[in-house]
Structure formats: C-alpha cells, structure tokens
Amino acid sequence: MYKLRMPSNTQILPDREDPIPVPKQHFVNGNPLVGPFPNTMEQIVLGMGCFWGAERMFWQTNGVYTTSVGYAGGTTRNPSYEDVCSGRTGHTEVVKVVWDPQDVDCSEILRIFWEGHDPTQGMRQGNDIGTQYRSAIYYFNDSQHQLASASRDIFQEKLSSAGYGEITTEIRAATNYFYAEHYHQQYLAKVPNGYCGLGGTGLSCEIVPLAKMDLD
C-alpha cells in the first residue's frame, strides 16, 4: 500500500525516542563513523537504491575519509530498518560520504553517484521497489547544490540521447540523517558475497565540463 508513494501525515509512523547505536569506527578504514568530523572535510548524503552496494562504491574511493549508511528525507525520527521498509517514514536509504577536498573533488563524488545507479526509476532501483529506494542528493552548501544540479542536467542529456526518461532524483538541502543499524554499516565488507542490487545505466557522466564550472 505504501510502497510507491510518499506517506501522508496521517500515515507517518511516530518518532522513536532513542537513536540507533552504531560502532565508533568504520569497519574498513578505522576512521570515525560519527561526527563531528575534521573541519577540512566535506560531506554529502546520497540515496541511490540499496545502501549496501552504494556505500562500498564510496569507501573504495581515494580521498574519502569515512562513510556510513542511514535514513534521510523523511519525517519519523530515529526509525528502524523495518520502519523505513514499511514505507511509512518517508525516508530513503542513503550513504553519508565524508571526504577530503584536497584529495577528491565533489564532482567526482557526484560522478560515482550518477553512474552507480539508474536515476530515472522513481520509487525503485532495479528489483528493489519502494519509497526507500528513491534517488536523492541532500547537499550541505550552495556549491554542492549547484554542482548537483549541473551534473543532473549534464547526465540528463546523455540519458535522453540513450532513450531513458527523466531523472527523478530529489535534490534538496540536508536535514536530519539517522544512522542505520550496526549490521548495515559497511555490510559488504563484513559479508563480501552479500546482496548488491545496484546497476547503473552503463552511461558516463562527463566530469570535465562540470569540474571547470565557474560557480562564483
């Protein structure tokens, strides 16, 4: 009933009082999982389907300081995985990516995002169906907002030329981010042969024009 549309105010599950406890350190690189992070770092929150495979893409990226998986874009505070899967929290599964801009540019983070999934599928990603699998970019500053919008437009041209539909990615300022349960964090490092339902379109998102943008 709730899988393919956002819940109304009367359908939203109530808040949970306590946040989900998570490990202090990243299972792969040992860096902190929870902030505050060094003030030289940037961060962004990205939804691109099942967060297990999405997180792996980013922790494998040079310059990324830490990653975690969680829930964002909805209403219910401190939701559980079961809450989110019910479709009654409004959240989507996301990855928080924290990186050193001296080592990797935001445009590269966004390239991985666009190429790593099909952003035209609405409330699904492949065989994973529901509002929790929708594509999303939750940005932290104006520069990220401009880059996200510009990269969307660049990739839309490529998708349209290949016969794909309109990008459905939600792009808006980051608000609350709720950590997912400990067993979801860095799942595919703990279970290397675990499920990964992500599959991109096979199209590239050209970074050269994006990296040269004048954002002033």
Side-chain angles (χ1 to χ4, degrees), residues 136-204:
I137 299 173
Y138 301 118
Y139 58 84
F140 282 77
N141 55 51
D142 289 342
S143 176
Q144 290 180 3
H145 185 193
Q146 292 179 63
L147 285 167
S149 299
S151 62
R152 175 196 59 203
D153 295 343
I154 289 169
F155 200 42
Q156 182 65 71
E157 290 185 13
K158 183 68 71 71
L159 289 166
S160 297
S161 296
Y164 285 86
E166 292 296 310
I167 288 173
T168 59
T169 303
E170 176 182 338
I171 300 177
R172 60 185 173 97
T175 53
N176 289 328
Y177 169 81
F178 302 103
Y179 285 85
E181 291 80 353
H182 67 89
Y183 54 87
H184 290 301
Q185 305 297 335
Q186 299 84 63
Y187 176 82
L188 290 181
K190 302 169 186 174
V191 186
N193 295 320
Y195 171 77
C196 176
L198 288 189
T201 60
L203 301 173
S204 61

Side-chain angles (χ1 to χ4, degrees), residues 122-144:
M123 301 298 185
R124 67 180 298 161
Q125 197 60 215
N127 292 327
D128 294 326
I129 300 173
T131 54
Q132 76 268 31
Y133 300 116
R134 71 187 188 274
S135 178
I137 299 173
Y138 301 118
Y139 58 84
F140 282 77
N141 55 51
D142 289 342
S143 176
Q144 290 180 3

Side-chain angles (χ1 to χ4, degrees), residues 20 22 26 45-60 67-72 79-85 89 91-97 113 116-117 124-125 128 130-136 138 177-190 194-199:
I20 300 291
V22 295
H26 195 281
V45 173
L46 304 170
M48 47 194 296
C50 177
F51 49 23
W52 292 343
E55 186 185 18
R56 180 171 60 183
M57 292 180 188
F58 293 106
W59 85 54
Q60 293 177 337
T67 60
S68 62
V69 294
Y71 315 115
S80 69
Y81 180 68
E82 290 73 20
D83 291 339
V84 173
C85 288
T89 70
H91 293 293
T92 188
E93 294 187 18
V94 293
V95 181
K96 176 178 280 190
V97 185
F113 168 79
H117 74 303
R124 67 180 298 161
Q125 197 60 215
D128 294 326
T131 54
Q132 76 268 31
Y133 300 116
R134 71 187 188 274
S135 178
Y138 301 118
Y177 169 81
F178 302 103
Y179 285 85
E181 291 80 353
H182 67 89
Y183 54 87
H184 290 301
Q185 305 297 335
Q186 299 84 63
Y187 176 82
L188 290 181
K190 302 169 186 174
Y195 171 77
C196 176
L198 288 189

